[in-house]
Amino acid sequence: MSVDVHADIERIFEEVARRNPGEAEFHQAVREVLSSLGAVLDKHPEYRRMKMIERICEPERQIIFRVPWQDDHGRVHINRGFRVEFNSALGPYKGGLRFHPSVNLGIVKFLGFEQIFKNALTGMPIGGGKGGADFDPKGRSDAEIMRFCQSFMTELYRHLGEYTDVPAGDIGVGGREIGYMFGQYKRITNRYESGVLTGKGLSWGGARVRPEATGYGLVFFVAEMLAARGESLRGRTVVVSGSGNVAVYAVEKAQQQGARVLACSDSSGYVVDEDGIDVALLRQVKEVERARLSAYAERAPRARHVSTGAGGASVWDVPCEVALPCATQNELDRDAAEQLVRNGCLLVAEGANMPTTVAAVQVLREAGVAFGPGKAANAGGVATSALEMQQNASRDSWTFEHSEQRLAEIMRDIHARCFEAAEEYGGPGDYVLGANCAGFVRVADAMHDLGLI
Ligand code: NDP
């Protein structure tokens, strides 16, 4: 990278940090992308002239709103809702909604920013956005969840539309919540506009393989990474963090491909099961009973549960060859990365968004561990959401086999795009570089064509 391009990138980052104070996760995500773009700017001086990076770092629209609701005892609660409509150069804003007490504007912006490049990498016509609320669904009754979702949508609906902004699920938002929100949208607008939300139930406009897509897609991507090294998942030991939507289906697909998944986690601890994680039991505990993971260990004959409270224990202590962080941002830090390297881990791929800290990525890189960044590795979810929109638009419903095959093809293409861009921009085998450059160039080219808007 030339000296003035380097200086330009530093200046842009400083400006983003100054104009968005206190948004640590957003700064981290911007820094990560910008640090890959030197060779792109060297090759495309027009991007600098048109201030393409500065424009991409500024959301097109940010919506923050009050979400009042009543619990089962009649007590009033006020939460804060967010939707950041980041970039629509490639299509309607697309990205999930997260309900978690940690949600704030900086987190939504980091997720929305990542989503722009992820969606571009899929090759599909979808822009980037993200949203959510600082609402904690844990321990809430079904009726409380419904009232919250209805109140949330009562404000958000005016910003949505199948050609405008199409949310989906994320942490704390699954099929149940999408159902309550879709119901409220339909009631307010008097339109059965299936394409306005994805992750819907099968009988009311949902698509086969959407629940499985992020986890399955992650494993397809891992298989491509391994194949590029002449290897496969068969017989490999795997550890997955989290036990939610992404994690469950990553476990399932990894086992279908002949790996042995030894451990998974939630926010209070992890389970190690020498027999391999039993997906049916895991789903029963987490999805049906909505219980803690310790309930899994009580029922699986050779499983043990380890709490991750004060003692500093981590699911990454469990030796494995392939590590798949599928819980939340910055969950795999430098210590965890060093432990993985000591234990002989050969590949890490992100099912969650930005689960690996900058320092941890550095440790893995220096140790020669293959690393698949989330914006490529977990893009199967949003890609299948785009397939759901496609099916909604054509009033069609595809079979499971066809949908899964499309997902596998898309992940293969994403891998190829990252691989080729990494070669083109001077870092063969560097998936971070490849994903950032390929994603950025597709968005920047579209923005260039659309003029200064
Ligand atoms: P879920 O809510 O279904 O599951 C989240 C899992 O992560 C739960 O096991 C949860 O444990 C755990 N978790 C959440 N926060 C923490 C924390 N602070 N510390 C430790 N564990 C935590 O969410 P998803 O599976 O949908 O999402 C997981 C990740 O994947 C997120 O980063 C999301 O942005 C990303 N992602 C999701 C996609 C999707 O299609 N759903 C698509 C692409 C990315 P507990 O139950 O104890 O809270």
Side-chain angles (χ1 to χ4, degrees), residues 1-13:
M1 163 183 7
S2 64
V3 176
D4 61 328
V5 163
H6 178 73
D8 221 19
I9 287 177
E10 281 305 305
R11 181 191 56 73
I12 295 168
F13 176 73

Side-chain angles (χ1 to χ4, degrees), residues 68-252:
W69 60 283
Q70 263 184 317
D71 67 22
D72 289 344
H73 307 286
R75 281 189 294 260
V76 171
H77 299 262
I78 311 295
N79 284 99
R80 186 171 292 169
F82 302 88
R83 186 73 181 165
V84 174
E85 297 181 335
F86 226 117
N87 194 297
S88 60
L90 295 176
Y93 309 106
K94 184 86 199 85
L97 298 169
R98 175 177 293 190
F99 290 169
H100 193 272
S102 65
V103 166
N104 58 39
L105 184 60
I107 289 193
V108 177
K109 279 166 71 176
F110 118 64
L111 290 163
F113 186 72
E114 289 277 295
Q115 197 82 46
I116 302 170
F117 308 105
K118 179 188 311 194
N119 293 4
L121 280 174
T122 66
M124 300 171 113
I126 40 180
K130 199 82 187 190
D134 59 353
F135 167 70
D136 188 357
K138 274 206 190 74
R140 290 293 169 196
S141 70
D142 226 41
E144 289 172 326
I145 297 285
M146 182 176 74
R147 284 196 293 276
F148 180 82
C149 289
Q150 290 177 338
S151 181
F152 184 83
M153 187 51 88
T154 299
E155 176 57 33
L156 187 63
Y157 88 95
R158 71 190 80 245
H159 304 288
L160 306 184
E162 62 178 309
Y163 298 108
T164 310
D165 185 352
V166 183
D170 191 79
I171 291 178
V173 178
R176 172 180 61 167
E177 292 75 16
I178 294 290
Y180 293 145
M181 287 191 269
F182 183 64
Q184 185 73 349
Y185 182 88
K186 186 176 82 60
R187 187 179 190 196
I188 295 172
T189 60
N190 195 28
R191 282 163 63 89
Y192 205 108
E193 192 183 334
S194 303
V196 75
L197 285 170
T198 58
K200 301 181 292 295
L202 258 191
S203 61
W204 40 277
R208 291 187 178 82
V209 185
R210 178 59 190 92
E212 295 86 352
T214 309
Y216 278 21
L218 170 65
V219 175
F220 291 145
F221 192 86
V222 167
E224 293 293 324
M225 288 175 74
L226 288 168
R229 300 177 152 213
E231 294 163 9
S232 86
L233 262 174
R234 186 150 301 281
R236 299 278 181 207
T237 51
V238 177
V239 166
V240 174
S241 67
S243 49
N245 173 261
V246 179
V248 163
Y249 292 106
V251 173
E252 182 169 271

Side-chain angles (χ1 to χ4, degrees), residues 58-70:
E58 185 69 23
E60 290 175 13
R61 195 173 297 107
Q62 308 183 54
I63 301 147
I64 304 181
F65 51 99
R66 179 170 69 202
V67 189
W69 60 283
Q70 263 184 317

Side-chain angles (χ1 to χ4, degrees), residues 31-46:
R31 167 65 90 188
E32 194 254 10
V33 171
L34 264 53
S35 63
S36 294
L37 296 182
V40 173
L41 294 191
D42 275 336
K43 198 166 174 179
H44 294 277
E46 72 278 14

Side-chain angles (χ1 to χ4, degrees), residues 3 10 20 28 56 78 81 93 101 136 183 191 359 366 401 423 440 452:
V3 176
E10 281 305 305
N20 301 275
Q28 183 182 340
I56 287 183
I78 311 295
Y93 309 106
D136 188 357
R191 282 163 63 89
E366 282 165 9
E401 292 69 27
E423 299 218 322
F440 178 83
L452 189 56

